[in-house]
Amino acid sequence: MKNLKDLNYGIVGLGIMGGSIAKAVRQNILSQNGATGKIYACNRSTACLAQATSEGVVDQTFTSDCVSEMLPLCDILYICLYPHATLNFLIDHKAEFKSGAIVTEISGVKGLFEKELPSILRSDVDFIIGHPMAGGEKEGYANSNAKFFIEHNYILCPQTFNKPENLELMRDFITEIGFTRITDTTCDTHDYKIGFTSQLCHVIASALVESAGDPEITAFGGGSFEDLTRIAMINAPMWTELFISNKEKLCKHIENFEKQMDLFKKYIAEEDSENLKAMLEDTREKRMRMGSIRSVKNK
Amino acid sequence: MKNLKDLNYGIVGLGIMGGSIAKAVRQNILSQNGATGKIYACNRSTACLAQATSEGVVDQTFTSDCVSEMLPLCDILYICLYPHATLNFLIDHKAEFKSGAIVTEISGVKGLFEKELPSILRSDVDFIIGHPMAGGEKEGYANSNAKFFIEHNYILCPQTFNKPENLELMRDFITEIGFTRITDTTCDTHDYKIGFTSQLCHVIASALVESAGDPEITAFGGGSFEDLTRIAMINAPMWTELFISNKEKLCKHIENFEKQMDLFKKYIAEEDSENLKAMLEDTREKRMRMGSIRSVKNK
């Protein structure tokens, strides 16, 4: 099998996620004895390229105009753009990928890619569908951090056309850059579950902020409101794409959630202590059974 | 003015909040040179009384049966029970409070007390209505911690009958035990705003857990779901009381929140990118303007 420390890595889009992947590769893989691999990065604006070069995170950088020079060099290529830009990039640059390469991307909806597979695939390049479930609410390379991945989940959506040795290499890679748990699933299940754990949570946090009448409300906060709305410092263009790309599943989750809100509201309005208490006891028990990704490492 | 380090403190209900107050008084006030004050505690179950005694947190403890012996000793008396139990305690034990004492409580609804003031008040005892906006999702003395109060809010609802010197003493006390910001308001405003920042957040977190079909859902989590549902490890009997005691205001907040959810749902279902993006940009800006209680200290 190929040795990760001798591969060349390409990052298209050196933002918070692309930057974090580059830093993790540098620190965890290319720092190994005898490593010969390189990291290449391409980004539309060049300030982050200069910073990543000066920090020794990347070996060579390319402007968007010159990305065609970078792609044939990369054994593992990560496209870290917004979902539709990623799809368009995969289609537009298909002919330029290195023969034998693994090409992958990070976006939060997968149905989008599954539908367009015939336009993306090339028999000598393996396209692996996956989703690193990590990041931060602040954008840009300046906020990237190799530590984001520690104690976090990675979802893979293996396809029948994926070569087993490439999936194995990808799993090794994901573990090497710090992720704790890899879960295999289908694109459809990914979009349904991520619609719940991620997209629904972002809609809720945003609706909660929107329903606050008073910007001074935090003087009355005890921490709950801050916990629930941290993610409302939202990247509007990206989440607009994500929400709309997954609209059927997300709207279903919103409706299920609203049904539970309505049930709580009914019990409260009717002063139905007995049912309200029973439901809250069920909530507590359910939440405790769910556990925490952070506890997986200690199992 | 009275000196905090020479006063005797009483805690009725030595759980997470009562225990945290006792610990903060011990560490921040009675540790001062020449302090002569004492801490007395009463609790229904006695295990926590033994633990607090052995840890040197309290000077003398009383079982529930003997609380009438403790009350006449206390210059500042904190009732740290569930809301209705607190109200009943204030009414039942009114005759036993020390003349000149400040009596206060910690519960998350205040209208309850305002309505019953004639049954609570005694001309030589000052009842101060306040709410420490701090705590943790785990109950009991074993989970109490003096540090909970640092960088947190305290709400006071001063009444016309409160003596100015007692309010001043109370403010000193609140600051000494670690709170960062004290906000004065009415009981009505307190209940309206806490209905939003605290109660609505707890309903949302609970409804989100209830709408999760799958206990294995955390394998698909990136942190958002965990942030939003930490507080769903809820103390069911207490929150049932809080929700129902504040039902009109809380149901209004639930409805306002649901309106915003419906608006998001509409934009998503209609693929209305323009309005969705504009609303998310507004969310981000609103959330950033709200700031953080944790930043108050640096102002």
Side-chain angles (χ1 to χ4, degrees):
Chain A
M1 199 167 90
K2 289 172 182 170
N3 196 321
L4 290 171
K5 73 181 167 59
D6 300 322
L7 300 182
N8 294 325
Y9 299 87
I11 314 278
V12 177
L14 199 66
I16 180 172
M17 288 301 293
S20 299
I21 293 166
K23 287 175 180 176
V25 171
R26 176 64 65 207
Q27 289 173 28
N28 303 354
I29 297 175
L30 300 186
S31 63
Q32 294 168 20
N33 270 346
T36 63
K38 304 280 180 202
I39 303 179
Y40 305 113
C42 166
N43 199 67
R44 194 169 49 185
S45 68
T46 56
C48 64
L49 297 179
Q51 192 183 340
T53 303
S54 77
E55 290 173 358
V57 170
V58 299
D59 295 291
Q60 195 177 344
T61 64
F62 299 81
T63 59
S64 301
D65 296 343
C66 304
V67 69
S68 303
E69 296 170 29
M70 178 181 108
L71 299 177
L73 306 174
C74 306
D75 300 298
I76 294 187
L77 180 69
Y78 257 95
I79 319 298
C80 305
L81 305 173
Y82 289 0
H84 286 94
T86 297
L87 180 61
N88 293 337
F89 187 94
L90 287 166
I91 295 169
D92 293 348
H93 294 276
K94 178 176 162 176
E96 297 159 7
F97 301 144
K98 181 175 177 178
S99 186
I102 289 175
V103 176
T104 191
E105 46 74 48
I106 62 163
S107 73
V109 278
K110 296 306 176 195
L112 199 63
F113 299 94
E114 205 177 28
K115 270 190 283 187
E116 295 289 340
L117 283 175
S119 327
I120 299 169
L121 296 183
R122 216 177 86 185
S123 62
D124 62 332
V125 170
D126 217 0
F127 177 54
I128 296 183
I129 300 180
H131 186 190
M133 299 293 302
E137 68 274 22
K138 292 184 178 164
E139 298 142 38
Y141 176 81
N143 293 302
S144 65
N145 193 328
K147 291 191 183 138
F148 280 151
F149 307 147
I150 297 168
E151 298 190 338
H152 276 75
N153 292 312
Y154 206 109
I155 315 288
L156 280 181
C157 305
Q159 304 293 311
T160 49
F161 57 77
N162 285 139
K163 293 191 176 68
E165 65 271 25
N166 284 336
L167 284 172
E168 197 186 336
L169 189 69
M170 189 71 194
R171 287 181 209 282
D172 280 355
F173 174 78
I174 292 165
T175 305
E176 283 292 324
I177 62 173
F179 285 90
T180 304
R181 175 165 56 182
I182 304 173
T183 301
D184 283 11
T185 191
T186 62
C187 290
D188 195 61
T189 300
H190 170 277
D191 287 359
Y192 186 76
K193 298 213 173 183
I194 296 308
F196 180 80
T197 57
S198 172
Q199 292 167 7
L200 174 63
C201 290
H202 281 77
V203 174
I204 289 172
S206 302
L208 181 56
V209 167
E210 287 296 317
S211 76
D214 176 2
E216 295 301 310
I217 197 76
T218 43
F220 289 83
S224 309
F225 179 77
E226 295 197 357
D227 277 4
L228 266 72
T229 60
R230 178 185 62 82
I231 56 171
M233 308 225 193
I234 197 159
N235 175 334
M238 187 179 80
W239 286 94
T240 297
E241 268 195 42
L242 289 170
F243 292 165
I244 289 179
S245 301
N246 201 27
K247 69 169 186 162
E248 281 87 8
K249 292 181 173 70
L250 177 54
C251 287
K252 184 82 198 143
H253 288 306
I254 293 176
E255 279 157 23
N256 286 342
F257 167 73
E258 285 184 324
K259 272 184 207 153
Q260 299 298 328
M261 286 296 291
D262 284 337
L263 196 52
F264 274 117
K265 188 172 65 179
K266 175 174 144 44
Y267 291 153
I268 293 165
E270 293 173 358
E271 302 197 15
D272 184 348
S273 300
E274 201 175 324
N275 274 314
L276 180 55
K277 193 161 72 109
M279 192 160 162
L280 290 172
E281 271 160 4
D282 182 70
T283 300
R284 179 191 174 95
E285 200 206 315
K286 271 202 183 116
R287 182 64 189 87
M288 288 174 88
R289 261 188 295 143
M290 282 175 184
S292 161
I293 164 70
R294 291 175 186 92
S295 66
V296 171
K297 259 195 142 169
N298 304 321
K299 273 186 184 169
Chain B
M1 199 167 89
K2 290 171 182 170
N3 196 320
L4 290 171
K5 71 181 168 59
D6 300 322
L7 299 182
N8 295 325
Y9 299 87
I11 315 278
V12 176
L14 199 65
I16 180 171
M17 289 301 293
S20 299
I21 293 166
K23 287 175 179 176
V25 171
R26 175 64 66 205
Q27 289 174 28
N28 303 355
I29 297 175
L30 299 187
S31 62
Q32 293 168 20
N33 271 345
T36 64
K38 304 280 181 203
I39 304 178
Y40 306 113
C42 166
N43 198 67
R44 194 170 46 186
S45 67
T46 55
C48 64
L49 298 178
Q51 191 183 340
T53 303
S54 77
E55 290 174 358
V57 170
V58 300
D59 295 291
Q60 196 178 342
T61 64
F62 298 81
T63 59
S64 301
D65 296 344
C66 304
V67 70
S68 302
E69 295 169 29
M70 178 181 109
L71 300 177
L73 306 174
C74 306
D75 299 299
I76 294 187
L77 180 69
Y78 258 95
I79 319 297
C80 305
L81 305 173
Y82 290 0
H84 285 94
T86 297
L87 181 61
N88 293 337
F89 187 94
L90 287 165
I91 295 170
D92 294 347
H93 294 274
K94 179 176 161 175
E96 297 158 6
F97 301 144
K98 181 176 177 177
S99 187
I102 289 175
V103 176
T104 192
E105 47 73 49
I106 62 163
S107 72
V109 278
K110 296 306 178 194
L112 199 63
F113 298 95
E114 204 177 29
K115 269 189 281 183
E116 295 289 340
L117 282 175
S119 327
I120 299 169
L121 295 183
R122 216 176 87 185
S123 61
D124 63 332
V125 171
D126 217 0
F127 177 54
I128 297 184
I129 300 179
H131 185 190
M133 299 293 301
E137 68 274 22
K138 292 184 179 163
E139 300 142 36
Y141 176 82
N143 293 301
S144 66
N145 193 330
K147 291 190 183 138
F148 281 151
F149 307 148
I150 296 167
E151 297 189 339
H152 277 76
N153 292 311
Y154 206 109
I155 316 288
L156 280 181
C157 304
Q159 304 293 310
T160 49
F161 58 77
N162 285 139
K163 294 191 175 67
E165 65 270 26
N166 284 337
L167 284 172
E168 198 185 335
L169 190 69
M170 189 72 195
R171 286 181 209 284
D172 282 355
F173 174 78
I174 292 166
T175 306
E176 284 292 325
I177 62 171
F179 285 91
T180 304
R181 174 165 56 181
I182 302 173
T183 300
D184 283 11
T185 192
T186 62
C187 291
D188 195 61
T189 300
H190 169 277
D191 287 359
Y192 186 75
K193 298 211 173 183
I194 296 307
F196 181 80
T197 58
S198 173
Q199 291 166 6
L200 175 62
C201 291
H202 281 76
V203 174
I204 289 171
S206 301
L208 181 56
V209 167
E210 287 295 317
S211 76
D214 177 1
E216 294 300 309
I217 198 74
T218 43
F220 290 82
S224 308
F225 178 77
E226 295 197 357
D227 277 4
L228 266 71
T229 59
R230 178 185 60 82
I231 56 173
M233 308 224 193
I234 198 160
N235 176 334
M238 187 179 80
W239 286 94
T240 297
E241 270 196 40
L242 288 168
F243 292 165
I244 289 180
S245 301
N246 200 26
K247 68 169 188 164
E248 281 88 7
K249 293 181 171 70
L250 176 54
C251 286
K252 184 82 197 142
H253 287 306
I254 293 175
E255 278 157 22
N256 286 341
F257 167 74
E258 286 184 324
K259 272 183 207 153
Q260 300 298 328
M261 286 296 291
D262 284 338
L263 197 52
F264 274 118
K265 188 171 65 178
K266 175 174 143 44
Y267 292 153
I268 293 165
E270 293 173 357
E271 302 197 16
D272 184 347
S273 299
E274 202 175 322
N275 274 314
L276 180 56
K277 192 160 73 109
M279 192 161 163
L280 290 172
E281 270 159 5
D282 182 70
T283 301
R284 180 191 173 94
E285 201 205 314
K286 270 203 184 114
R287 182 62 190 90
M288 289 174 87
R289 261 189 296 142
M290 281 175 185
S292 163
I293 165 69
R294 292 176 184 91
S295 66
V296 171
K297 262 195 137 168
N298 305 321
K299 272 188 183 165

